[in-house]
Amino acid sequence: MDTVEKIVEEFASDIAMSPFSSGTRLRDMIRAIRACKTAAEERAVVRRECAEIRAAISENEQELRHRNMAKLMFIHMLGYPTHFGQMECLKLIAATGYPEKRIGYLGLMLLLDERQEVLMLVTNSLKQDLNHSNQFIVGLALCALGNICSAEMARDLSPEVERLMRSREVNTKKKAALCSIRIVRKVPDLAENFMGLASLLLKEKHHGILISAVQLCTELCKASKDALEYLRKNCIEGLVRILRDVSNSSYAPEYDVAGISDPFLHIRVLKLMRILGQGDADCSEYMNDILAQVATKTESNKNAANAILYECVQTIMGIEATSGLCVLAINILGRFLSNRDNNIRYVALNMLMRAINVDTQAVQRHRTTILECVKDADASIRKRALELVFLLVNDTNVKPLTKELVDYLDLADPDFKEDLTAKICSIVEKFSQDKLWYLDQMFKVLSLAGNHVKDDVWHALVVVISNASELQGYSVRSLYMALQAFVDQGSLVRVAVWCIGEYGEMLVNNIGMLQLEEPITVTESDAVDAVQLTLNRYSADVTTRAMCLVALLKLSSRFPSISERIKQIVSQNKENIVLELQQRSIEFSSIIQRHQSIRPSLLERMPVLDEASYLVKRASTTQGTLAADKPAPAVTPGGLKLPNGVAKPATSPLADLLDLSSDDVPAIATASTTTAPNDFLQDLLGIGGVNSSTAGAPSSSSTDILIDLLSIGSSTSQNGPPAADFSPPQATDLLGSLSSSTSISGIKSAPAVPQDMDLLDGLPSNTSISGVDNHSSIMAFQSATLKINFDFKRHPGKPQETTIHATFTNLTSTSYTDFVFQAAVPKFIQLRLDPASGNVVPASGNGSVTQGLSVTNNQHGQKPLAIRIRMSYKVNGEDRLEQGQVSNFPPGL
């Protein structure tokens, strides 16, 4: 913009000296505009000048036309509309004098573009000027054509440009070559007309022509494969000669830049060589010698020389270069890393990331320098160097590199710690072959930057500790000592509290000591003190406080002698404003004080978690998706949170199944034959989201007791029916009515109790189940391809509860795969789906698939059952979907 302004002021000077100009009005206008103090004053001046220009145009004052055009260009530079002056440009171009044509073409390039229809009117004038005897007028036409040429103009004027490329005038030949670049871009089909001319121009001596020809060859290679092959055969030798001549040339003032002869031509030639040599071994071999010469002879103490070296490295990496030449290029990048200029170091790091794919061993030699860049003061260099270090890690160097990064973690800026921590954790998880080394590194990271560790990282650490039985004692002791020194690191605190709760007796009794360990003295009170300190310190962190309460509950079973003290600590949260913590405190206190007989079974150690399943699940789900899919806490009509493990459905794919009755929100149940892996965070912590799979009944293992324990909450309300949920009824009130399927002898389901009563009071001492009454069967659904039968069973004394046995029968000769049954019910009905017997419905006559449903009608006798169903499956890989409503239930359900 400054250049254009200078040209306009130059025109102002020409106009002032011109015999037909009226004073220095352009300068007066510029001075008046620059003297304006507000935008309103400037607009007023511009409006006044535009009005005078319009008046002059309407009066066809030829002597003022060029001056008015200069003023319009300045106004256009300020951002004001100047479309009314476009025709004046064409009139000036059509004039005979050079000054008028000069300002006319300048106005044409500024005020118009190739999309303007009026541009078609100038084609004839351009053609005349391209054939003009005055080389300066020819130059004006070529400049204008090279800037605003449209596809139609390119086709019309291409022959004139081709002719001018053979001109004897250096400036005309150079401008014609540049103009042809625009023509090739607009009409790639014309590329073949310029291939021979471009190769001829490469034999010129003038650097201006050479750099224009090189740029034209580059554009031809992009536009046409035929041109690329032609230039590979006919131009490689010329390019090598140009590069050798310019590299070995003596001092020439007109081309010298900081002691380097024409670095612009150097770079253009190297770029073209990269295009020609890519994927072509013969061309690459011909270039190797000159590239090695440029790389070795160019000194790197000047910025212009560094630009040439950088382009040379890019060319070497882009062609089929020899291994020795690649090593030379990587060594140049290594020297760049020691440069003081941040920009040079940054581009070197970028290139080294690409060079790893070419020669990893050569890049490894500069590992020390790259590690120093990780500690650089510039944030961009730190981040790029860290990414490069991550790519350099392999099984042989993982330990020294990790040590360097962990040592720097304590000194790193807070803004950089998150990226650094994520990379270290990724390296440790990916390359660890020794679990002890993995644990040591993770403990260090948690201690130094625990607040920057993502949740999935420490979840994975907990899973590893759960599986490493021989290292559990070492882990709990290491974490206990780290907790004493780094209590402000959130992720460290959570892992340490979980380990103390699970393996507290190992901490106190020094069980599982390793040879490298020294015994430590920790009493039962010390272990409880550590958890209590964390509970008090993290008053605003609900997750950490909930984990502390679970740990204290488990320690009450591990350390019976101080269970009374633990009960007092837990009871302090009975009036907590967070309902989750309040509920945990009340129920945990009841377990500690009044139900010691079942406490050992409830609080036994967490079973070993399936590490492979967790890793598969973690790999298939990004952290962002986990956060987005995390269900919101469900709320009962009484306003209380539902327990963990019971969630209100968010966005459901069964939206069209919901229009069943006038009730507000229906409950939705869905089941498939394949259940998702356990939600390890829920299993471990009893907080947060729930398993997305809702099909499954509690098993008769101690795992269910432990999972239920860590999913404590109240699901019933005294003021209304339960909210819509996905969970089986026996899971909704964990400690109030334990399922009859649990392995605890002498316990059977008990009715819900008022909230002011002890949740574990009144547990019967037997597990007998009353007899079951059979009810009639119905055909719930039938189509041309699928039939569903419902068999009913009812429990005497509980008329609102019904068990449905669904049988899915294939009516075709092709098996159905990935079969999933889904159901939706009104709000007054509770529904639980058991897992199906399989996910493949065999062809007709070869069997069927069965699935159980448990239904509770909370308005039994007032409203009948109503269920809307949907079945999805695949037939020969093609998705199928069927749905319907079941309303023909037998009376009395």
Side-chain angles (χ1 to χ4, degrees):
M1 189 61 73
D2 293 340
T3 304
V4 176
E5 189 172 335
K6 291 178 180 178
I7 294 174
V8 172
E9 291 187 351
E10 183 181 344
F11 281 132
S13 177
D14 293 342
I15 291 168
M17 297 182 291
S18 179
F20 44 79
S21 64
S22 57
T24 56
R25 291 295 303 279
L26 175 60
R27 290 185 176 180
D28 292 342
M29 185 191 74
I30 295 174
R31 193 175 293 113
I33 290 175
R34 288 179 174 174
C36 294
K37 296 182 179 180
T38 64
E41 292 180 12
E42 179 182 296
R43 287 194 295 269
V45 173
V46 171
R47 279 198 300 269
R48 184 174 65 249
E49 292 293 340
C50 287
E52 293 179 1
I53 293 172
R54 285 193 182 95
I57 292 174
S58 62
E59 296 173 5
N60 199 21
E61 297 181 359
Q62 297 184 9
E63 66 277 5
L64 300 178
R65 184 173 289 151
H66 65 301
R67 186 192 70 184
N68 290 338
M69 183 53 59
K71 291 164 67 175
L72 276 176
M73 284 188 286
F74 188 82
I75 292 172
H76 174 79
M77 288 160 51
L78 296 177
Y80 294 96
T82 55
H83 56 278
F84 57 87
Q86 292 176 352
M87 292 303 298
E88 296 299 292
C89 291
L90 304 186
K91 293 177 182 178
L92 286 171
I93 291 172
T96 57
Y98 175 78
E100 290 81 3
K101 285 183 177 291
R102 184 185 183 195
I103 196 169
Y105 276 118
L106 182 60
L108 182 73
M109 290 183 284
L110 281 179
L111 305 184
L112 283 81
D113 58 51
E114 60 180 283
R115 295 168 295 180
Q116 301 287 342
E117 294 182 1
V118 70
L119 194 63
M120 298 299 297
L121 301 176
V122 81
T123 303
N124 192 48
S125 297
L126 280 169
K127 189 168 186 176
Q128 291 180 1
D129 288 341
L130 288 174
N131 292 298
H132 203 282
S133 58
N134 188 333
Q135 64 167 320
F136 299 106
I137 293 178
V138 174
L140 291 176
L142 287 171
C143 285
L145 188 62
N147 278 280
I148 62 170
C149 171
S150 62
E152 292 78 8
M153 294 174 67
R155 291 188 178 94
D156 294 339
L157 301 176
S158 174
E160 279 69 22
V161 177
E162 293 177 36
R163 178 181 56 80
L164 292 172
M165 289 178 68
R166 299 184 179 92
S167 173
R168 295 181 178 180
E169 297 292 339
V170 172
N171 288 332
T172 301
K173 193 179 294 187
K174 177 182 68 175
K175 291 181 180 180
L178 293 173
C179 183
S180 63
I181 295 173
R182 172 86 176 195
I183 292 175
V184 171
R185 287 176 182 170
K186 290 298 174 184
V187 188
D189 294 341
L190 296 176
E192 60 182 11
N193 299 342
F194 295 95
M195 294 188 302
L197 294 171
S199 61
L200 289 175
L201 292 180
L202 291 177
K203 299 177 182 179
E204 297 284 340
K205 298 295 184 182
H206 191 274
H207 285 205
I209 297 177
L210 288 176
I211 199 169
S212 302
V214 170
Q215 187 63 19
L216 175 58
C217 291
T218 303
E219 199 63 38
L220 289 171
C221 293
K222 296 177 182 177
S224 170
K225 290 185 178 179
D226 293 337
L228 176 61
E229 293 301 324
Y230 176 85
L231 295 176
R232 279 175 174 168
K233 294 178 181 178
N234 298 278
C235 294
I236 292 294
E237 185 177 350
L239 292 174
V240 171
R241 177 187 54 79
I242 293 171
L243 196 56
R244 182 178 293 110
D245 290 345
V246 74
S247 299
N248 299 329
S249 63
S250 57
Y251 173 76
E254 63 270 28
Y255 303 130
D256 185 80
V257 177
I260 305 296
S261 178
D262 204 345
F264 302 102
L265 182 58
H266 266 101
I267 291 171
R268 290 292 184 186
V269 172
L270 288 169
K271 284 184 176 180
L272 180 55
M273 282 184 168
R274 182 163 71 249
I275 295 173
L276 296 177
Q278 188 172 8
D280 192 304
D282 293 335
C283 288
S284 300
E285 184 179 359
Y286 198 84
M287 300 174 189
N288 283 337
D289 291 341
I290 187 60
L291 291 175
Q293 180 181 335
V294 172
T296 53
K297 290 187 63 176
T298 307
E299 298 180 0
S300 59
N301 56 352
K302 299 290 179 62
N303 201 44
N306 288 328
I308 295 174
L309 287 174
Y310 175 69
E311 202 62 47
C312 184
V313 170
Q314 280 196 306
T315 301
I316 292 172
M317 296 298 176
I319 67 173
E320 306 295 322
T322 61
S323 58
L325 197 57
C326 291
V327 172
L328 177 60
I330 293 172
N331 290 339
I332 292 173
L333 296 176
R335 294 204 306 270
F336 280 1
L337 292 178
S338 303
N339 199 295
R340 294 181 179 181
D341 192 321
N342 288 346
N343 294 324
I344 294 177
R345 280 185 290 166
Y346 185 82
V347 298
L349 290 169
N350 271 339
M351 281 300 301
L352 284 171
M353 292 180 70
R354 292 173 50 191
I356 287 180
N357 299 325
V358 178
D359 191 339
T360 305
Q361 195 59 38
V363 180
Q364 289 281 2
R365 298 191 188 101
H366 304 280
R367 191 174 63 206
T368 305
T369 310
I370 296 170
L371 277 172
E372 290 301 317
C373 291
V374 175
K375 308 172 186 179
D376 195 89
D378 187 275
S380 299
I381 292 177
R382 285 201 307 264
K383 188 171 183 178
R384 189 61 69 196
L386 182 60
E387 293 173 356
L388 180 55
V389 169
F390 183 74
L391 296 176
L392 286 175
V393 176
N394 54 40
D395 292 331
T396 59
N397 62 19
V398 58
K399 291 188 177 181
L401 279 179
T402 303
K403 182 180 183 303
E404 291 284 347
L405 294 177
V406 171
D407 290 345
Y408 176 62
L409 190 58
D410 191 29
L411 305 174
D413 295 338
D415 294 338
F416 185 55
K417 273 191 177 182
E418 183 173 355
D419 290 336
L420 183 57
T421 302
K423 291 297 184 185
I424 294 175
C425 293
S426 297
I427 291 171
V428 172
E429 290 177 356
K430 183 177 180 180
F431 294 98
S432 64
Q433 299 176 351
D434 180 5
K435 282 191 175 182
L436 180 60
W437 180 81
Y438 167 82
L439 292 175
D440 285 339
Q441 303 310 310
M442 293 304 299
F443 294 161
K444 290 179 183 178
V445 172
L446 291 175
S447 301
L448 297 175
N451 292 327
H452 301 279
V453 174
K454 295 181 180 179
D455 288 348
D456 64 316
V457 174
W458 66 266
H459 295 170
L461 175 60
V462 167
V463 174
V464 172
I465 295 174
S466 172
N467 283 268
S469 58
E470 71 283 0
L471 297 175
Q472 289 170 350
Y474 172 77
S475 298
V476 69
R477 285 186 290 274
S478 300
L479 289 167
Y480 174 80
M481 291 186 290
L483 185 62
Q484 307 303 310
F486 303 99
V487 72
D488 57 333
Q489 301 295 339
S491 296
L492 171 69
V493 168
R494 294 180 182 182
V495 178
V497 165
W498 183 86
C499 282
I500 292 173
E502 290 294 322
Y503 316 115
E505 72 280 6
M506 290 186 169
L507 173 64
V508 172
N509 300 321
N510 284 325
I511 298 175
M513 291 286 295
L514 302 180
Q515 293 182 355
L516 55 87
E517 282 189 276
E518 294 183 2
I520 61 173
T521 303
V522 180
T523 64
E524 295 179 352
S525 295
D526 292 336
V528 174
D529 288 342
V531 180
Q532 183 182 14
L533 176 64
T534 302
L535 183 65
N536 296 333
R537 183 182 182 90
Y538 288 84
S539 58
D541 189 340
V542 177
T543 301
T544 303
R545 288 174 66 84
M547 292 181 64
C548 290
L549 290 175
V550 174
L552 288 170
L553 176 63
K554 291 205 168 188
L555 289 178
S556 69
S557 177
R558 312 283 194 270
F559 308 145
S561 61
I562 57 172
S563 60
E564 186 62 29
R565 180 193 168 193
I566 294 175
K567 173 182 170 296
Q568 294 175 0
I569 299 173
V570 172
S571 300
Q572 293 173 2
N573 288 274
K574 284 186 176 181
E575 298 179 358
N576 198 295
I577 61 174
V578 180
L579 294 181
E580 175 73 25
L581 300 179
Q582 182 186 121
Q583 183 176 338
R584 285 173 184 262
S585 178
I586 294 171
E587 296 178 353
F588 290 1
S589 298
S590 176
I591 293 174
I592 296 172
Q593 181 178 3
R594 308 177 65 176
H595 302 284
Q596 298 180 5
S597 59
I598 66 171
R599 188 170 64 186
S601 298
L602 285 174
L603 305 181
E604 63 184 7
R605 186 175 295 171
M606 178 70 68
V608 175
L609 300 171
D610 189 348
E611 187 174 2
S613 298
Y614 176 79
L615 293 177
V616 170
K617 177 181 177 182
R618 182 184 177 195
S620 62
T621 308
T622 63
Q623 185 67 19
T625 305
L626 287 174
D629 292 343
K630 187 176 181 180
V635 180
T636 65
L640 296 177
K641 287 186 179 179
L642 289 175
N644 299 320
V646 181
K648 183 170 70 174
T651 303
S652 172
L654 303 181
D656 56 343
L657 298 182
L658 307 184
D659 187 15
L660 294 175
S661 68
S662 59
D663 297 274
D664 295 334
V665 182
I668 300 173
T670 178
S672 68
T673 56
T674 57
T675 59
N678 290 335
D679 187 333
F680 290 92
L681 177 60
Q682 175 194 350
D683 292 349
L684 295 173
L685 311 179
I687 50 180
V690 300
N691 198 317
S692 60
S693 173
T694 60
S699 65
S700 59
S701 67
S702 59
T703 305
D704 291 329
I705 303 173
L706 197 53
I707 293 176
D708 287 348
L709 171 65
L710 299 181
S711 299
I712 288 177
S714 175
S715 65
T716 59
S717 170
Q718 303 301 318
N719 301 323
D725 64 70
F726 291 115
S727 298
Q730 62 264 32
T732 57
D733 188 4
L734 169 70
L735 298 177
S737 54
L738 293 175
S739 169
S740 60
S741 65
T742 60
S743 62
I744 302 177
S745 60
I747 297 177
K748 119 176 177 181
S749 291
V753 296
Q755 293 182 358
D756 57 351
M757 296 180 61
D758 181 18
L759 296 177
L760 293 179
D761 281 344
L763 292 177
S765 59
N766 60 74
T767 58
S768 62
I769 300 177
S770 301
V772 176
D773 291 340
N774 293 329
H775 215 283
S776 58
S777 301
I778 65 169
M779 182 185 295
F781 176 87
Q782 182 170 1
S783 66
T785 57
L786 183 67
K787 182 176 71 172
I788 304 176
N789 290 330
F790 280 181
D791 296 322
F792 303 95
K793 292 182 180 180
R794 297 184 60 184
H795 298 266
K798 296 181 180 179
Q800 71 277 12
E801 296 182 5
T802 304
T803 299
I804 301 175
H805 183 78
T807 303
F808 305 94
T809 304
N810 187 345
L811 302 180
T812 68
S813 59
T814 305
S815 298
Y816 301 158
T817 59
D818 296 343
F819 181 83
V820 176
F821 173 72
Q822 298 171 308
V825 294
K827 185 177 179 180
F828 64 88
I829 297 176
Q830 286 181 305
L831 172 66
R832 175 174 65 84
L833 295 180
D834 294 333
S837 60
N839 70 338
V840 177
V841 183
S844 178
N846 295 324
S848 59
V849 171
T850 60
Q851 187 166 0
L853 297 81
S854 298
V855 181
T856 303
N857 187 351
N858 293 312
Q859 297 190 23
H860 179 263
Q862 302 177 25
K863 293 185 178 182
L865 288 181
I867 301 178
R868 183 162 289 184
I869 58 176
R870 170 181 284 181
M871 292 69 64
S872 62
Y873 53 89
K874 291 183 178 180
V875 180
N876 296 327
E878 181 181 351
D879 291 328
R880 298 288 179 86
L881 185 68
E882 299 189 52
Q883 61 185 19
Q885 181 168 333
V886 184
S887 55
N888 59 332
F889 289 100
L893 296 182

